[in-house]
Amino acid sequence: KIDTLNVKYISKYADKLGIMGNYNSSLLLLNKSLRWVSNKARIYSCKSTVWQYYTGELIKNNKDPKAATDTALFYLEKACVTDTNDVELFVMACAINIQFGMFDKALKDIKNAIRIQPNNKDHILFRGMCKVGLQDMEGAYEDLKNITINRKNDGSMYFYRGISELYLDKYKE
C-alpha cells in the first residue's frame, strides 16, 4: 500500500507532468498508483486535473475538447463519490461545473460542501451563484443578502446579489 504522504507526492509529480504536456506519462503513473493507494479520490482528482490541462491544449490548438472535458468531469465526479467528506473536491467540482454552465450539478456539489462546512460563507456565495445561473433569483437573494453584510469588500457577492435584486425588483439606490 502507498501511504497518504506518497499519494501527495505522486499527485504533485503527475500534476507537473501534466503541466509540461506529458499527459500520457502522467495518466500512466496515476493509473498504476490506483492499484496501490487507499485514498483513490486524490488520484481521481489529479486525473481530472491532467485531463483539464489536455482540454486546454485542445482548445489552444482549435480542436474539439468535448471528450477531454467530459473525461475531466467524469474523474472529478468519481473523486467526489469516492470521498464524500473531502470539501475541496466538492468546491472544485462546483467551480468547474459553473464554468461550463452546468449549474444544476454545481448546486449539488456545493450543497455537499455546505453539508461538510455549513458556516463557510464562500460556499454560500457559490450556492447563490448557482441559483442565479438556474434563474432562482429568490433563492440567490436569500443566500447572498446576509453574506454581503459580513464581507463588505467582496465585489463578487455584491455583483450576484445585485443581479438577483434587479430581477426581483428589490434594487434600491
Side-chain angles (χ1 to χ4, degrees):
K1 287 278 182 195
I2 297 174
D3 63 24
T4 305
L5 183 61
N6 285 323
V7 169
K8 178 181 171 184
Y9 290 121
I10 289 167
S11 297
K12 282 187 176 200
Y13 183 66
D15 187 61
K16 287 181 186 204
L17 287 170
I19 289 170
M20 295 183 329
N22 295 327
Y23 311 114
N24 288 336
S25 298
S26 178
L27 292 171
L28 183 64
L29 172 64
L30 293 168
N31 286 336
K32 285 182 179 180
S33 300
L34 276 173
R35 289 185 229 144
W36 308 107
V37 300
S38 56
N39 185 356
K40 293 183 184 328
R42 282 283 151 209
I43 300 296
Y44 292 136
S45 174
C46 192
K47 285 179 80 166
S48 172
T49 301
V50 172
W51 278 101
Q52 289 172 51
Y53 295 147
Y54 182 60
T55 299
E57 183 172 311
L58 291 174
I59 292 169
K60 186 174 85 175
N61 294 322
N62 294 319
K63 294 184 180 177
D64 183 14
K66 181 161 178 22
T69 301
D70 289 347
T71 304
L73 291 171
F74 168 79
Y75 281 114
L76 186 55
E77 188 172 314
K78 193 167 185 170
C80 290
V81 169
T82 304
D83 186 349
T84 58
N85 291 315
D86 189 334
V87 73
E88 289 179 27
L89 292 174
F90 288 112
V91 172
M92 183 171 35
C94 175
I96 290 171
N97 283 319
I98 286 173
Q99 183 180 4
F100 289 112
M102 296 186 288
F103 298 105
D104 53 337
K105 286 185 175 185
L107 183 60
K108 181 186 78 145
D109 291 324
I110 205 61
K111 283 181 178 179
N112 278 314
I114 292 169
R115 173 185 53 80
I116 299 164
Q117 293 178 340
N119 298 320
N120 188 308
K121 302 296 184 189
D122 292 323
H123 301 343
I124 305 299
L125 167 64
F126 274 122
R127 186 172 68 186
M129 290 168 61
C130 292
K131 289 178 179 180
V132 167
L134 292 168
Q135 301 298 307
D136 175 8
M137 299 304 173
E138 287 183 33
Y141 178 76
E142 288 302 313
D143 278 345
L144 299 173
K145 74 178 182 181
N146 294 323
I147 355 184
T148 53
I149 294 165
N150 298 329
R151 296 181 54 184
K152 294 180 179 176
N153 296 325
D154 192 336
S156 58
M157 290 188 194
Y158 284 115
F159 174 77
Y160 286 102
R161 178 179 150 187
I163 289 173
S164 63
E165 287 177 337
L166 281 171
Y167 185 86
L168 295 172
D169 232 6
K170 292 184 179 185
Y171 190 76
K172 296 171 181 91
E173 277 189 66

